Coordinates of all heavy atoms in Angstrom, one line a residue:
S656 N -9.7 9.7 -90.0 CA -10.0 10.6 -88.9 C -10.3 12.0 -89.4 O -9.6 12.4 -90.4 CB -8.9 10.6 -87.8 OG -8.7 9.4 -87.2
L657 N -11.2 12.7 -88.8 CA -11.4 14.1 -89.0 C -10.8 14.8 -87.8 O -11.2 14.5 -86.7 CB -12.9 14.4 -89.1 CG -13.3 15.9 -89.3 CD1 -12.8 16.4 -90.7 CD2 -14.8 16.0 -89.2
V658 N -9.9 15.7 -88.1 CA -9.1 16.4 -87.0 C -9.3 17.9 -87.1 O -9.0 18.5 -88.2 CB -7.6 16.0 -87.1 CG1 -6.9 16.7 -86.0 CG2 -7.4 14.5 -87.1
A659 N -9.8 18.5 -86.1 CA -10.0 19.9 -86.0 C -8.9 20.6 -85.1 O -8.8 20.1 -83.9 CB -11.4 20.3 -85.6
E660 N -8.2 21.5 -85.5 CA -7.3 22.3 -84.7 C -8.1 23.4 -84.0 O -8.9 24.1 -84.6 CB -6.2 22.9 -85.5 CG -5.3 21.9 -86.2 CD -4.2 22.6 -86.9 OE1 -3.3 23.2 -86.3 OE2 -4.2 22.5 -88.2
T661 N -8.1 23.4 -82.7 CA -8.8 24.5 -81.9 C -7.8 25.2 -81.0 O -6.7 24.7 -80.8 CB -10.0 23.9 -81.1 OG1 -9.4 23.2 -79.9 CG2 -10.8 22.8 -81.9
A662 N -8.3 26.2 -80.4 CA -7.5 27.0 -79.4 C -7.2 26.1 -78.2 O -6.2 26.4 -77.4 CB -8.2 28.2 -79.0
E663 N -8.0 25.0 -78.0 CA -7.8 24.2 -76.8 C -7.0 22.9 -77.1 O -6.6 22.1 -76.2 CB -9.1 23.7 -76.3 CG -10.0 24.9 -75.9 CD -11.4 24.4 -75.4 OE1 -11.5 23.6 -74.5 OE2 -12.4 24.9 -76.0
G664 N -6.6 22.7 -78.4 CA -5.9 21.5 -78.8 C -6.7 20.8 -79.9 O -7.7 21.3 -80.5
L665 N -6.3 19.6 -80.3 CA -6.9 18.9 -81.3 C -8.2 18.2 -80.8 O -8.2 17.6 -79.8 CB -5.9 17.7 -81.8 CG -4.6 18.2 -82.4 CD1 -3.8 16.9 -82.7 CD2 -4.7 19.1 -83.6
V666 N -9.2 18.3 -81.7 CA -10.5 17.6 -81.4 C -10.5 16.6 -82.6 O -10.6 16.9 -83.7 CB -11.7 18.5 -81.5 CG1 -13.0 17.7 -81.3 CG2 -11.6 19.5 -80.3
V667 N -10.5 15.3 -82.2 CA -10.4 14.2 -83.1 C -11.7 13.4 -83.2 O -12.2 13.0 -82.1 CB -9.2 13.3 -82.7 CG1 -9.1 12.1 -83.7 CG2 -7.9 14.0 -82.7
F668 N -12.1 13.1 -84.4 CA -13.3 12.2 -84.6 C -12.8 11.0 -85.4 O -12.2 11.1 -86.5 CB -14.3 12.9 -85.5 CG -14.9 14.2 -85.0 CD1 -14.2 15.4 -85.1 CD2 -16.1 14.3 -84.3 CE1 -14.7 16.6 -84.6 CE2 -16.6 15.4 -83.8 CZ -15.9 16.6 -84.0
N669 N -13.0 9.8 -84.9 CA -12.8 8.6 -85.6 C -14.0 7.7 -85.2 O -14.0 7.2 -84.1 CB -11.5 7.9 -85.3 CG -11.2 6.8 -86.3 OD1 -11.9 5.8 -86.3 ND2 -10.1 6.9 -87.0
S670 N -14.9 7.5 -86.1 CA -16.2 7.0 -85.8 C -16.2 5.6 -85.2 O -17.1 5.3 -84.4 CB -17.1 7.1 -87.0 OG -17.4 8.4 -87.3
C671 N -15.3 4.7 -85.6 CA -15.3 3.4 -85.0 C -13.9 2.9 -84.5 O -13.8 1.9 -83.9 CB -15.8 2.4 -86.0 SG -17.6 2.3 -86.1
C672 N -12.8 3.6 -84.9 CA -11.5 3.3 -84.3 C -11.1 1.9 -84.5 O -10.6 1.2 -83.6 CB -11.4 3.7 -82.9 SG -11.5 5.5 -82.5
H673 N -11.3 1.3 -85.7 CA -11.0 -0.1 -85.9 C -9.5 -0.3 -85.8 O -9.0 -1.4 -85.5 CB -11.5 -0.5 -87.3 CG -12.9 -0.6 -87.5 ND1 -13.7 0.4 -88.1 CD2 -13.8 -1.5 -87.0 CE1 -15.0 0.1 -88.1 NE2 -15.1 -1.1 -87.4
A674 N -8.7 0.7 -86.1 CA -7.2 0.6 -85.9 C -6.8 0.8 -84.5 O -5.6 0.6 -84.2 CB -6.5 1.7 -86.8
G675 N -7.7 1.0 -83.6 CA -7.3 1.2 -82.2 C -7.2 2.6 -81.8 O -6.3 3.3 -82.4
V676 N -8.0 3.1 -80.9 CA -8.0 4.5 -80.6 C -6.6 5.0 -80.1 O -6.2 6.1 -80.4 CB -9.1 4.9 -79.6 CG1 -8.9 4.2 -78.2 CG2 -9.2 6.4 -79.4
V677 N -5.9 4.2 -79.3 CA -4.6 4.7 -78.8 C -3.6 4.8 -79.9 O -2.9 5.8 -80.0 CB -4.1 3.7 -77.7 CG1 -2.6 4.0 -77.3 CG2 -5.0 3.7 -76.5
D678 N -3.5 3.9 -80.9 CA -2.6 4.0 -82.0 C -3.0 5.2 -82.9 O -2.1 5.9 -83.4 CB -2.6 2.7 -82.8 CG -2.0 1.5 -82.1 OD1 -1.3 1.8 -81.1 OD2 -2.1 0.4 -82.6
I679 N -4.3 5.3 -83.1 CA -4.7 6.5 -84.0 C -4.3 7.8 -83.4 O -3.7 8.6 -84.0 CB -6.2 6.4 -84.1 CG1 -6.7 5.2 -85.0 CG2 -6.8 7.7 -84.7 CD1 -8.1 4.9 -85.0
L680 N -4.5 8.0 -82.1 CA -4.2 9.2 -81.4 C -2.7 9.4 -81.3 O -2.2 10.6 -81.4 CB -4.9 9.3 -80.1 CG -6.4 9.4 -80.1 CD1 -6.9 9.5 -78.6 CD2 -6.9 10.5 -80.9
A681 N -2.0 8.4 -81.1 CA -0.5 8.5 -81.0 C 0.1 9.0 -82.3 O 1.0 9.8 -82.3 CB 0.1 7.2 -80.6
Q682 N -0.4 8.4 -83.4 CA 0.1 8.9 -84.7 C -0.3 10.3 -85.0 O 0.5 11.1 -85.6 CB -0.5 7.9 -85.8 CG 0.1 6.5 -85.7 CD -0.5 5.6 -86.7 OE1 -1.3 6.0 -87.6 NE2 -0.2 4.3 -86.5

Side-chain angles (χ1 to χ4, degrees):
S656 297
L657 179 65
V658 182
E660 298 183 65
T661 77
E663 303 176 55
L665 302 177
V666 176
V667 177
F668 302 81
N669 190 298
S670 294
C671 280
C672 294
H673 292 102
V676 64
V677 172
D678 288 347
I679 290 167
L680 294 183
Q682 290 174 12

